Amino acid sequence: KAVNEILRDMRQPYCMNRLLQGDVGSGKTVVAAIALYAAVKSGHQGALMAPTEILAEQHLRTLEKLLAPHGIQVALLTGSLTERQRRDVLAGLQMGMIDVVVGTHALIQEDVHFRSLSLVVTDEQHRFGVGQRSILRRKGIHPDVLTMTATPIPRTLAITAFGDMDVSTLRERPKGRVPVKTYWVRHDMLDRVLGFIRREVEAGRQAYVICPLIEESDKLDVQNVIDLHLQMQQAFPDLKVGLLHGRLTPAEKDAVMRAFASGETHVLVATTVVEVGVDVPNATLMVVMDADRFGLSQLHQLRGRVGRGTHASYCVLVADPKSEAGIERMRIMTETDDGFEVSRRDLELRGPGD
């Protein structure tokens, strides 16, 4: 249904401005790939913009797998390309040798020119400013715009009610996906959580352990990710424990993610840089420390990192919330794993925002 709505819009003489919202892991990337395929087959080019390099690289791998067999040239444009690689990609786009480009904000720099850009897809639209999205749009002659989001955030709900966007919704998930079971525990049960991590790893699976801040701050007594990493190494001296946070260079982040994706690292300790789009089907356990410091949509995104394969998956929220709202957030997370429901409850808790 979503694909048909999008293709119908793309055939019209006016510009498409459509929002594709689907829950975590419902297949938005596949829908985007079909739309990009249609754009290329009509003799034009397509672009997909993602908020982080990790995510852009992952989309590149997915799109190459889906589009390359049909002879479609897919390229990557991010800030960490060498000058030479970047020049090659820019030339390829301008001459039309590259059909689809996947990238980060690097796509909207002034020296990026397309031969004929007819479709712009932006992923995780709430991470980009309105200005950033419109710059990319101006690089084509009135290209169609498809925006994807896994968090039907209140602001998006407002845009849909009052704005100029048509909405396509993916309500179901691919066959064989097992719903993620969510538990909320207090800090004093941490030993049991560690035992749970150990059991999953011994069964051949992997786990994420997420923590809110990078370094200690006196104001917030939150365990920082570096301490947490040490603690996990001490708890599991025989396992490989990775560390991922925003202060690492892109190359370091990439190496850490690759080690986790290939199964070499058993436990990944990270800040919310893993929040969007990271896809490791073998990871079945998501432990979130101080979970009451995260918003509902963030927690839902984090939970969406597991349950991407066929194995039963779990999300454990470790928190001692002080406020009524914090307790309510934990309760909502354990009651539902439907992003639309999470979003509706979030709207009730917080109001629509500005």
Side-chain angles (χ1 to χ4, degrees), residues 19-331:
L19 176 71
L20 173 63
Q21 56 174 0
D23 210 346
V24 188
S26 59
K28 294 182 293 293
T29 316
V30 177
V31 174
I34 296 171
L36 290 162
Y37 176 84
V40 174
K41 288 294 171 194
S42 319
H44 301 286
Q45 291 164 298
L48 193 158
M49 183 160 76
T52 64
E53 295 204 356
I54 289 180
L55 196 51
E57 284 164 18
Q58 189 174 295
H59 278 316
L60 175 79
R61 286 194 288 275
T62 312
L63 290 175
E64 275 181 334
K65 206 162 62 195
L66 295 167
L67 301 175
H70 301 284
I72 291 176
Q73 282 295 314
V74 187
L76 180 69
L77 185 58
T78 62
S80 51
L81 294 186
T82 63
E83 211 20 67
R84 165 113 194 263
Q85 289 170 317
R86 189 164 189 277
R87 273 207 308 275
D88 291 348
V89 173
L90 294 184
L93 286 174
Q94 203 159 3
M95 298 189 307
M97 311 291 281
I98 293 171
D99 301 312
V100 173
V101 64
V102 183
T104 51
H105 300 77
L107 290 176
I108 57 181
Q109 285 163 351
E110 278 186 11
D111 55 352
V112 182
H113 301 289
F114 292 82
R115 189 181 63 79
S116 171
L117 177 63
S118 78
L119 174 65
V120 171
V121 182
T122 47
D123 190 20
E124 288 306 329
Q125 65 116 33
H126 57 282
R127 291 291 188 93
F128 293 107
V130 178
Q132 288 174 324
R133 297 203 294 274
S134 68
I135 293 171
L136 187 52
R137 191 177 302 167
R138 290 200 294 272
K139 288 189 178 292
I141 299 169
H142 306 304
D144 288 320
V145 177
L146 177 65
T147 307
M148 304 196 292
T149 181
T151 29
I153 42 171
R155 183 171 166 271
T156 315
L157 296 178
I159 295 173
T160 30
F162 311 113
D164 52 354
M165 292 183 102
D166 299 312
V167 182
S168 295
T169 304
L170 293 175
R171 275 283 175 198
E172 299 127 22
R173 297 195 191 165
K175 297 271 182 288
R177 291 278 170 97
V178 188
V180 179
K181 289 195 177 66
T182 306
Y183 303 103
W184 164 34
V185 302
R186 303 259 176 198
H187 278 95
D188 52 18
M189 291 171 69
L190 197 55
D191 287 347
R192 288 180 57 185
V193 175
L194 295 177
F196 194 6
I197 295 177
R198 162 78 62 196
R199 284 198 302 281
E200 285 294 298
V201 171
E202 281 172 356
R205 307 283 159 260
Q206 291 159 282
Y208 294 96
V209 181
I210 304 294
C211 147
L213 285 183
I214 295 184
E215 336 180 290
E216 239 164 276
S217 110
D218 305 327
K219 289 199 279 294
L220 293 175
D221 182 20
V222 179
Q223 219 179 3
N224 68 58
V225 69
I226 295 151
D227 282 355
L228 186 61
H229 181 240
L230 259 172
Q231 194 187 339
M232 291 296 148
Q233 279 177 320
Q234 285 159 355
F236 307 116
D238 54 330
L239 301 183
K240 189 149 187 271
V241 182
L243 174 63
L244 183 68
H245 56 73
R247 296 276 168 92
L248 297 177
T249 65
E252 289 169 326
K253 279 185 197 164
D254 203 40
V256 173
M257 271 320 297
R258 288 223 165 93
F260 190 64
S262 68
E264 187 190 322
T265 306
H266 303 109
V267 179
L268 180 62
V269 176
T271 54
T272 50
V273 283
V274 298
E275 178 192 338
V276 285
V278 177
D279 189 10
V280 181
N282 191 46
T284 53
L285 178 57
M286 167 63 73
V287 178
V288 185
M289 305 299 291
D290 296 305
D292 51 324
R293 298 205 176 275
F294 295 98
L296 273 174
S297 67
Q298 238 183 345
L299 287 172
H300 182 66
Q301 275 287 353
L302 286 168
R303 172 166 62 184
R305 297 310 105 223
V306 295
R308 303 180 80 88
T310 46
H311 313 290
S313 296
Y314 310 92
C315 173
V316 178
L317 307 173
V318 182
D320 296 311
K322 305 282 180 284
S323 67
E324 203 41 58
I327 293 170
E328 183 59 21
R329 283 210 299 277
M330 296 303 107
R331 204 176 297 136

